[in-house]
Amino acid sequence: MSDDGAGDRPGTPAQRLLMLVGEHREDVRAALGEEQYALLLARLAALAGTAADDDRAVRRAFQGVRVLLTRLPLPYDHPVHLALDSDRLAGVPPGPAAVLDARELAAVLTGSAPAGPATGPGIDPGTGGADPDPGPGSLLGAHERLLRAPALPADEARARCGGAAPPSELIRLSDPLGREHYPAFQFAAGDGAPYEVVLEVNRLLLADIDPWGAAAWWLEGNTWLGGAPASLLGRLPDRELVGAAAALVEED
């Protein structure tokens, strides 16, 4: 496999990949469509929100970022491509610092931090931090918008699943008070159980890793389908919904 092009830089291979995405953010942005770029931001937010001391959760959240980046149509010798192609990326854990690096990278990509070049193993710590006044295009603004969609509380979601714990494929969003919200579109009308097609699509979207990105896919406009996928449940054949999700997230 190829060298990642950043062997002399400090940090884990995962940190170096995030740093390179920041350094080459214009190339990354140009290579991704609107939906894929929004998904990248959501997956970075999921990694940034992971408990840094939970190695398994950090690995899985980073995997969601990595899988999406592997779809970038970049030249073979591009530094980001070389970093993705490195044996070390798969063999070395991301490490807890990758959580902070993801937070700082998300701040740069969303414009809530100065757009100067990245330095050090992640983005310059001086550029990090949350946007104090999140606009509609920021990660926090997007989360607030998704939380306003109709949703079921955890106890009702459990009841809809026959009294058992809701499957991990169901999108579960947490509000600032720690309350769980299960977007209502996932369940059949009345007291219905979860739609099988929703569970299938959510598996493709890695909803257990990235619930915000999966919720955005369902609830916001989709150029492939011509509308919000959640509004098309029961109106389009299930295979079209699955195909639209697969086209977005499957690896080349």
Side-chain angles (χ1 to χ4, degrees):
M1 299 290 280
S2 301
D3 190 351
D4 64 10
D8 59 344
R9 301 175 191 251
T12 66
Q15 288 181 269
R16 291 196 290 274
L17 174 62
L18 296 175
M19 177 190 61
L20 288 167
V21 170
E23 289 182 352
H24 299 276
R25 53 190 170 273
E26 293 183 2
D27 293 346
V28 171
R29 180 68 185 87
L32 290 172
E34 291 299 323
E35 293 171 29
Q36 289 181 325
Y37 190 65
L39 186 57
L40 173 61
L41 294 178
R43 290 190 175 177
L44 283 171
L47 176 56
T50 302
D53 59 352
D54 188 336
D55 291 341
R56 182 173 180 273
V58 173
R59 281 175 181 261
R60 297 185 73 243
F62 176 76
Q63 176 73 353
V65 174
R66 187 199 67 80
V67 166
L68 184 57
L69 290 174
T70 59
R71 304 189 69 239
L72 284 169
L74 295 171
Y76 181 76
D77 59 352
H78 191 282
V80 173
H81 181 92
L82 293 175
L84 287 163
D85 197 38
S86 169
D87 285 330
R88 288 173 290 169
L89 185 64
V92 180
V99 173
L100 177 59
D101 290 350
R103 187 177 308 138
E104 293 167 350
L105 175 58
V108 169
L109 297 184
T110 57
S112 59
T119 59
I123 309 303
D124 180 10
T127 67
D131 184 348
D133 183 20
S138 71
L139 293 173
L140 291 177
H143 288 186
E144 291 172 355
R145 184 170 64 253
L146 293 171
L147 284 171
R148 289 197 293 268
L152 306 181
D155 57 350
E156 185 172 351
R158 179 183 289 272
R160 297 286 194 98
C161 295
S168 61
E169 294 92 339
L170 280 180
I171 297 167
R172 182 180 69 232
L173 307 178
S174 296
D175 65 21
L177 298 179
R179 296 171 299 196
E180 294 181 344
H181 301 252
Y182 289 80
F185 73 83
Q186 300 178 103
F187 302 87
D191 294 326
Y195 288 108
E196 286 299 323
V197 67
V198 168
L199 298 179
E200 183 176 358
V201 167
N202 285 352
R203 282 191 289 270
L204 288 171
L205 297 176
L206 302 178
D208 59 329
I209 297 174
D210 176 23
W212 297 102
W217 185 88
W218 279 106
L219 293 167
E220 299 180 352
N222 182 280
T223 55
W224 179 289
L225 298 171
S231 69
L232 301 174
L233 282 166
R235 297 168 53 194
L236 280 183
D238 289 353
R239 65 179 180 276
E240 292 192 28
L241 293 169
V242 174
L248 175 63
V249 302
E250 68 184 0
E251 294 191 64
D252 291 338

